[in-house]
Amino acid sequence: MSGQQISAQKLGKELKLPRAVGKGRQVDPKALSEVQALLGDESRQKDLLIEHLHKIQDFYHYISAPHLVALAHEMKLSRAEVYEVATFYHHFDVIKEDQTPPPPLTVRVCDSMTCEMLGAEELIHSLEQGLGQDVRVQRVPCIGRCDKAPVAVVGMNPVEHADAAQVIEFVDKKQVQPEKIDPILFESYIEQGGYNTYRLCMEGQFEVEKVLDVMDDSGLRGLGGAGFPVGRKWRIVRDQPAPKLMAVNIDEGEPGTFKDKYYLDRDPHCFLEGTLIAAWAVGIEEVYIYLRDEYAAIREMLEVEMAKLQANPPVANMPKLHLRRGAGAYICGEESAMIESIEGKRGMPRLRPPFVAQVGLFGRPTLEHNMESLYWVRDILEKGASCMTDHGRHGRTGLRSFSVSGRVNKPGVHLAPAGITMRELIDEYCDGMLDGHEFYGYFPGGASGGILPASMGDIPLDFDTLNDHGCFIGSAAVVVFSDKDQARELAVNAMKFFEDESCGQCTPCRVGTAKAVNLMQEKQWDQDLLEELSQVMVDASICGLGQAAPNPLRCVIKYFPEELK
């Protein structure tokens, strides 16, 4: 080799000359053009990554490797980041080069607790036999229609009280778009005096301190499960430095929960007005509404109604409202995981402190609320705190929206006094048990809220009343089961759900739920080992998913020992 060649070689090493072709997969021009067409003129900002992934999934019914690379290039993100976000969420079908894309149509069948009780397994088997190769049948967790179980979703169109023939008919007729809902629309809401209370707040007719006092007096608490007093939360965030944001959680993925859907189906602007009042009281500049992806019809409706509201604001300087779409991850019901998802990331809970009230969405102080908590704000200001405090039973005060499903004659959302007992709820609001079914037990707070036997059906249902029994009311998702069911099988169903929905960030939850499922499927439960495993999950899991996952299995051991013999 000549001296000149050696010098050139050394120079190349020193300068680290770029490769003629970059590392990894190259951007495919066709895929890039397709992604650019889908995104149009919309911003490429990082926090819209999940929104843009939805566009590809909706149009092509899956997300190919070339489309992922093209999206990363278009948004100026690393390919690894786009890939890890896309593969984190259940509703994105990420297909590698050596994989076959899924069929163009997917039929999703819920196999969570209530649907399993009411025939989901038989429905899934019949559909797998009765549908052709061009339709995929997919098991999915709770989709928020437990009162209409079993439920299938054809494309985006839910089929309630589904049987195989009905679902196949939907497929044959290509009824795949979201169903139509009939809420109070913006025009009607305005005609009925809607947004007048918010306008009075903005015009100074209400004093912030007096509003905060009314919220305190009403006893309104966070209705997403945690039960933190609303007035106190507003004061905490109000005292934080500007600019401040709000994040509204409508990702009610807890099996058995559908109350937020119930109210949004009927009166979305009542919720939006409550949101704006909260924003005024706390000093919020922008509001991000996080809606679970299963509520496709509500999403389409909210997009239209929020556009009407922002085009015709009741006052000047109204906060900007953003609607963000979840992607099928129960963990995003946890407030910090939801915030991560809104920011375009994997929905993994944050370690605290700092709390989201101090460092939340985009690093700003953030008021986080469940949708139903905001739904009652307008009524409390217009009617006074007594509209809540005049109700209650057995020493408790207020109203609770119970999502009731299972073996009752009248499942659905029942607005009942706080402190009502399970037997009273069944008899007075649900028209009793189904014929041929005897009340045997219940989940008072969804899959994570534990399980109690019928013999404990006279305990008042409210925040804090169930703690001594290893249970909690949470979001008031009540699942009633009968002597035709087994508590241990329902507990296995719940634990499988937690295993599937664990974000994987912490070992106690990720490994603990998987090991618990295996142990619980044994004919003879190793109760000592299960208890040891449960304690580790409770003590060491980062967030409430792992901490609450053992509740059902512990309750079976404690209250249903006859099933373990």
Side-chain angles (χ1 to χ4, degrees):
M1 184 179 295
S2 68
Q4 188 175 10
Q5 288 174 318
I6 293 173
S7 298
Q9 188 180 59
K10 288 175 66 177
L11 181 62
K13 287 180 179 179
E14 289 171 5
L15 295 179
K16 296 182 181 178
L17 296 176
R19 292 166 175 255
V21 179
K23 288 184 178 180
R25 180 187 295 277
Q26 302 307 299
V27 178
D28 178 82
K30 181 174 182 293
L32 180 60
S33 176
E34 291 168 344
V35 166
Q36 290 172 337
L38 288 174
L39 271 54
D41 295 331
E42 291 194 37
S43 171
R44 271 60 167 171
Q45 65 198 56
K46 181 179 179 179
D47 57 284
L48 291 176
L49 173 58
I50 294 171
E51 298 294 313
H52 294 338
L53 285 168
H54 273 301
K55 293 179 176 65
I56 300 172
Q57 176 71 40
D58 288 347
F59 191 84
Y60 293 101
H61 308 296
Y62 66 94
I63 302 175
S64 68
H67 281 141
L68 278 180
V69 173
L71 182 61
H73 174 83
E74 186 68 12
M75 297 187 71
K76 296 181 172 56
L77 299 172
S78 74
R79 298 166 189 181
E81 182 176 2
V82 173
Y83 179 81
E84 71 178 11
V85 170
T87 53
F88 180 86
Y89 295 93
H90 299 317
H91 291 185
F92 297 137
D93 290 310
V94 179
I95 304 300
K96 299 178 182 178
E97 273 192 342
D98 58 346
Q99 291 180 314
T100 303
L105 179 61
T106 295
V107 174
R108 297 175 174 84
V109 183
C110 173
D111 66 356
S112 288
M113 298 180 302
T114 306
C115 283
E116 183 182 72
M117 272 195 287
L118 297 176
E121 288 298 327
E122 295 83 353
L123 177 60
I124 292 169
H125 178 74
S126 297
L127 292 175
E128 288 174 341
Q129 300 299 314
L131 290 171
Q133 296 296 314
D134 58 341
V135 179
R136 175 177 56 168
V137 179
Q138 189 178 58
R139 293 172 177 269
V140 295
C142 185
I143 56 177
R145 298 171 184 271
C146 314
D147 54 332
K148 305 294 194 306
V151 181
V153 181
V154 179
M156 292 185 179
N157 196 338
V159 185
E160 300 172 338
H161 300 301
D163 59 43
Q166 187 181 12
V167 174
I168 291 171
E169 182 179 356
F170 269 64
V171 171
D172 291 342
K173 292 183 177 179
K174 293 182 172 53
Q175 292 177 254
V176 299
Q177 297 305 312
E179 86 276 39
K180 299 299 180 184
I181 56 177
D182 187 26
I184 298 173
L185 301 179
F186 178 75
E187 297 80 6
S188 298
Y189 189 76
I190 292 294
E191 289 176 3
Q192 297 169 19
Y195 293 107
N196 187 54
T197 301
Y198 171 59
R199 181 178 58 79
L200 293 175
C201 287
M202 290 289 285
E203 292 176 353
Q205 300 298 312
F206 286 91
E207 295 180 11
V208 172
E209 281 302 321
K210 290 184 178 179
V211 168
L212 294 173
D213 289 341
V214 171
M215 300 309 297
D216 288 336
D217 294 342
S218 73
L220 183 65
R221 299 175 67 168
L223 298 172
F228 195 86
V230 167
R232 193 190 310 171
K233 181 181 282 192
W234 288 13
R235 293 179 192 276
I236 290 171
V237 183
R238 179 175 171 78
D239 289 341
Q240 300 301 313
K244 291 170 280 193
L245 301 174
M246 185 191 301
V248 183
N249 195 333
I250 321 180
D251 194 63
E252 53 175 359
E254 180 80 25
T257 309
F258 46 91
K259 62 182 180 62
D260 293 353
K261 176 184 179 300
Y262 174 87
Y263 290 117
L264 286 173
D265 277 345
R266 290 157 176 78
D267 196 356
H269 287 282
C270 183
F271 148 66
L272 290 171
E273 183 167 9
T275 300
L276 292 173
I277 292 170
W280 160 79
V282 176
I284 300 295
E285 295 189 355
E286 295 186 65
V287 178
Y288 288 79
I289 299 171
Y290 189 84
L291 178 70
R292 72 179 309 200
D293 196 30
E294 288 83 353
Y295 295 166
I298 291 175
R299 184 178 68 253
E300 290 187 353
M301 176 271 294
L302 280 178
E303 287 172 348
V304 173
E305 295 303 300
M306 287 169 60
K308 292 178 185 176
L309 172 60
Q310 295 189 105
N312 301 277
V315 295
N317 301 318
M318 189 182 81
K320 189 172 182 180
L321 304 175
H322 306 270
L323 182 62
R324 291 296 172 86
R325 179 178 174 183
Y330 166 71
I331 191 64
C332 290
E334 196 276 341
E335 60 177 8
S336 65
M338 174 192 65
I339 285 172
E340 290 286 297
S341 189
I342 292 173
E343 292 179 353
K345 306 171 187 174
R346 293 175 295 171
M348 288 190 164
R350 297 175 179 176
L351 291 172
R352 286 163 284 190
F355 297 96
V356 299
Q358 302 162 311
V359 181
L361 188 56
F362 305 121
R364 299 181 184 180
T366 301
L367 177 66
E368 188 276 339
H369 260 313
N370 169 256
M371 172 264 153
E372 194 201 348
S373 305
L374 296 165
Y375 182 86
W376 297 114
V377 167
R378 185 203 66 187
D379 281 359
I380 290 171
L381 290 189
E382 292 180 357
K383 301 174 183 178
S386 61
C387 72
M388 289 288 171
T389 58
D390 284 351
H391 304 276
R393 290 187 188 179
H394 306 296
R396 309 301 295 184
T397 301
L399 290 167
R400 299 287 175 264
S401 300
F402 292 94
S403 305
V404 185
S405 63
R407 306 289 192 179
V408 294
N409 282 311
K410 188 180 177 183
V413 173
H414 299 293
L415 186 62
I420 193 171
T421 69
M422 191 66 248
R423 291 188 183 277
E424 291 170 341
L425 188 61
I426 292 172
D427 293 341
E428 297 176 30
Y429 288 83
C430 302
D431 294 347
M433 299 291 291
L434 290 171
D435 290 343
H437 290 264
E438 182 180 338
F439 179 36
Y440 178 48
Y442 63 107
F443 289 75
S448 61
I451 316 175
L452 293 173
S455 61
M456 299 175 70
D458 295 318
I459 301 171
L461 297 175
D462 198 13
F463 296 113
D464 313 318
T465 60
L466 302 170
N467 294 359
D468 291 341
H469 306 288
C471 298
F472 55 79
I473 190 174
S475 59
V478 177
V479 181
V480 183
F481 56 97
S482 76
D483 56 342
K484 302 294 192 294
D485 307 302
Q486 278 200 319
R488 65 175 287 166
E489 294 302 321
L490 292 170
V492 171
N493 183 293
M495 190 60 75
K496 285 181 178 178
F497 171 81
F498 295 131
E499 178 190 13
D500 290 340
E501 295 297 329
S502 173
C503 75
Q505 180 176 190
C506 64
T507 302
C509 177
R510 180 184 68 250
V511 177
T513 52
K515 287 189 176 295
V517 167
N518 291 333
L519 291 169
M520 293 168 71
Q521 288 178 322
E522 296 290 335
K523 184 176 181 180
Q524 197 74 31
W525 283 15
D526 186 334
Q527 297 183 29
D528 291 339
L529 184 56
L530 279 168
E531 174 54 31
E532 183 180 351
L533 180 62
S534 298
Q535 194 61 50
V536 171
M537 293 171 66
V538 171
D539 290 342
S541 294
I542 289 174
C543 81
L545 190 154
Q547 294 164 10
N551 287 343
L553 81 84
R554 281 177 154 178
C555 287
V556 170
I557 293 172
K558 186 175 182 179
Y559 300 121
F560 300 88
E562 68 280 0
E563 293 191 14
L564 302 179
K565 293 177 181 177

